[in-house]
Amino acid sequence: MARYYADEICATLALLDCDVHSFQPTMGDDGYGEFQAACFRSLLSSTAVDLRQSPALFDAVTGHYLYEPDVSGLCPDCGGSAGGNICEECGAPNLCHDLGAARSRQSAEAPLVGSVRRPELALDRCYDNIDRHLRASGVPLRILDLFARLRRRGNFSVPITHPSDWGLPAEGFPGQVIWVWPEMAFGFLYNIQALGRLLGRDWKAEMPGNDWQIVHFFGFDNSFYHALLYPALYAEVFSHWTPRI
Ligand SMILES: [Zn+2]
């Protein structure tokens, strides 16, 4: 499916006369997996990441772990309809087990709350780094408001792995994969390195430069990931780097 849609996306962009300088298929690229594993190990040793046995949501019939599109419910922040992990209306993150009236996509039964041991990023320990980044990057007011709402929630930790067979295996956590959003954050750096190779520039994913500027184009529902989570992750792994995003 990924290969099919990758080709479709490239074909569509070509029909629009959009030149793409670097399109990075990650499947079958050993260097990509090794870079992600190195970033993951670095995160595990960071002072903002703890191993925690914490609440998680499971389908009452199949017993499957529920997150992302497999669960929906009411946003713990705005009370509107939200998907697993993010509210597309107000942009607030959720932990799935904190959704009101949660519904599984796998069965009609109400999901059950259990627990899973996962490495979690304590975002509240990253707020100073995020704040510095937002001020330096000049983000829209709506994202500053999202950050203010997040801070008001106090202690807030997000798991960076999930039980799944979809994604890169998380070393040391059998049956779990690296959450797709941290993978994407580090994937951008890998792609910058690949772009540099095409341009004859010595850009290194593991040594991001202070002269880099990353410009994302995304809908507001992705704000938490791109504008708040990524700078927090980057600060833990690349302490020398002041990202401009
Ligand atoms: Zn919401």
Side-chain angles (χ1 to χ4, degrees), residues 57-218:
L57 215 52
F58 296 87
D59 185 273
V61 175
T62 66
H64 280 138
Y65 176 83
L66 300 174
Y67 76 127
E68 296 282 349
D70 281 333
V71 62
S72 59
L74 301 177
C75 171
D77 194 326
C78 74
S81 298
N85 301 92
I86 205 79
C87 173
E88 297 197 349
E89 292 305 316
C90 78
N94 64 67
L95 301 170
C96 299
H97 69 82
D98 54 0
L99 289 166
R103 290 182 308 277
S104 169
R105 209 171 61 165
Q106 299 188 347
S107 77
E109 304 290 318
L112 302 174
V113 178
S115 73
V116 178
R117 184 172 171 272
R118 294 161 297 189
E120 298 189 352
L121 178 71
L123 267 181
D124 43 286
R125 278 178 232 155
C126 306
Y127 287 159
D128 287 347
N129 282 333
I130 297 172
D131 191 53
R132 199 172 313 123
H133 164 263
L134 292 179
R135 286 169 196 278
S137 297
V139 298
L141 204 57
R142 200 173 170 203
I143 292 182
L144 292 178
D145 173 64
L146 173 64
F147 183 45
R149 283 189 284 125
L150 186 68
R151 289 186 89 145
R152 280 201 292 274
R153 286 162 74 162
N155 291 356
F156 186 70
S157 292
V158 288
I160 56 169
T161 66
H162 294 280
S164 176
D165 56 5
W166 187 86
L168 292 171
E171 270 176 17
F173 299 88
Q176 297 194 26
V177 297
I178 299 171
W179 190 27
V180 62
W181 298 99
E183 183 196 329
M184 199 192 297
F186 299 119
F188 287 130
L189 307 185
Y190 189 80
N191 203 346
I192 289 171
Q193 174 178 292
L195 177 63
R197 208 174 294 132
L198 290 174
L199 300 174
R201 305 289 293 267
D202 191 23
W203 295 335
K204 294 226 175 356
E206 69 273 18
M207 282 290 287
N210 285 330
D211 59 340
W212 294 8
Q213 183 166 25
I214 299 175
V215 183
H216 294 298
F217 297 83
F218 58 85

